[in-house]
Amino acid sequence: MTMDPLVLLTDVDRATEALIRTASDLDPAVVSQPSLLPGWTVGHVLTHVARNADAYTRLLTGARTGTQAEAYAPGQRDADIEAGAGRPLREQIIDIRDSHERFADAGAAMPAEAWTFHLDFIRMPAAGAPWARLREVEVHHVDLALSYTPADWTDAFALRLLREIVTTAGPDAPPMMLRPFGIEHALTIGDADNPPVIGGPTKSIAAWLSGRGDGTDLTVAPDGELPIPARWK
């Protein structure tokens, strides 16, 4: 997947429209149903998607003006999610569309040099913000526990997500070697002699490591049970 932030902004447009289509076909009562995230309803997830867009809008606006903006004020994230979770579905959908348009406008307003501004919140230059936003939309679309699953991710998205999980794995992550189908070089988590080798489709491995799949179509060698992956945020 490209690192070009302008191309990734287009991917965010596509992913957001897909999420909105999923939500638009739902019974309005679905907002109170459980999502895949413990303690969160579908309404919590939808509200988070909208407020996260506003957070990244603030970050990009700060980058454009050369200031280190806060994504959220202290306590704002959780408070805003709780406050908006019970809203009617139609209001939630409008909110997601409007907040996405604000984010898209902030991205379009970025001069080339502003993309190099380091954002503490994502620990990388502002050029990484469109990817971070795309990841939020795609993963939380799955978290709605509706018709969209990791199988609907593009191969490029799944591979980049997988590589990000591998490179950011902490010291508590169980060691393993990953061999996604069609990928020449294995990806390694941890530093151990003869770690278990996990094979399977890239999308399935990424879903399993991100807590969005059970890994039933993955293989492990030598024969045995899959390791329990570290919790991914």
Side-chain angles (χ1 to χ4, degrees):
M1 176 173 280
T2 179
M3 284 292 291
D4 186 333
L6 299 182
V7 175
L8 287 169
L9 286 172
T10 301
D11 291 338
V12 177
D13 290 341
R14 173 196 54 76
T16 303
E17 284 301 321
L19 186 151
I20 288 173
R21 284 196 301 272
T22 295
S24 297
D25 291 338
L26 301 176
D27 185 306
V30 77
V31 294
S32 62
Q33 294 179 1
S35 73
L36 289 183
L37 297 176
W40 273 20
T41 64
V42 168
H44 284 87
V45 176
L46 292 174
T47 298
H48 171 55
V49 170
R51 298 289 71 77
N52 176 264
D54 286 337
Y56 279 103
T57 296
R58 288 189 284 272
L59 292 175
L60 290 183
T61 301
R64 179 173 57 83
T65 58
T67 58
Q68 196 64 243
E70 289 187 343
Y72 303 96
Q76 178 185 7
R77 177 185 178 277
D78 292 345
D80 283 353
I81 292 170
E82 287 298 330
R87 293 173 298 162
L89 179 61
R90 177 177 173 79
E91 184 177 336
Q92 301 255 22
I93 292 171
I94 292 172
D95 188 17
I96 290 174
R97 188 179 297 281
D98 289 348
S99 61
H100 169 67
E101 289 178 358
R102 292 190 291 270
F103 171 77
D105 288 345
M110 292 280 284
E113 62 274 12
W115 290 114
T116 65
F117 185 86
H118 188 272
L119 293 174
D120 291 347
F121 183 75
I122 60 173
R123 298 188 296 277
M124 65 179 69
W131 158 253
R133 176 60 184 165
L134 178 63
R135 182 190 60 215
E136 289 286 323
V137 175
E138 288 284 11
V139 172
H140 288 312
H141 195 167
V142 172
D143 289 334
L144 294 174
L146 301 168
S147 59
Y148 196 81
T149 73
D152 296 302
W153 291 340
T154 66
D155 291 333
F157 173 82
L159 181 57
R160 180 161 180 177
L161 177 63
L162 176 57
R163 285 175 170 160
E164 180 175 280
I165 293 171
V166 169
T167 57
T168 59
D172 295 332
M176 64 185 80
M177 180 178 293
L178 307 172
R179 289 198 172 275
F181 293 163
I183 305 302
E184 182 177 354
H185 300 291
L187 304 173
T188 303
I189 295 178
D191 184 15
D193 294 332
N194 302 314
V197 178
I198 313 301
T202 302
K203 295 178 184 180
S204 297
I205 298 176
W208 171 62
L209 287 176
S210 65
R212 272 73 184 180
D214 58 14
T216 54
D217 59 342
L218 303 180
T219 62
V220 57
D223 290 341
E225 295 185 357
L226 287 169
I228 298 175
R231 185 174 181 270
W232 177 78
K233 296 182 180 180

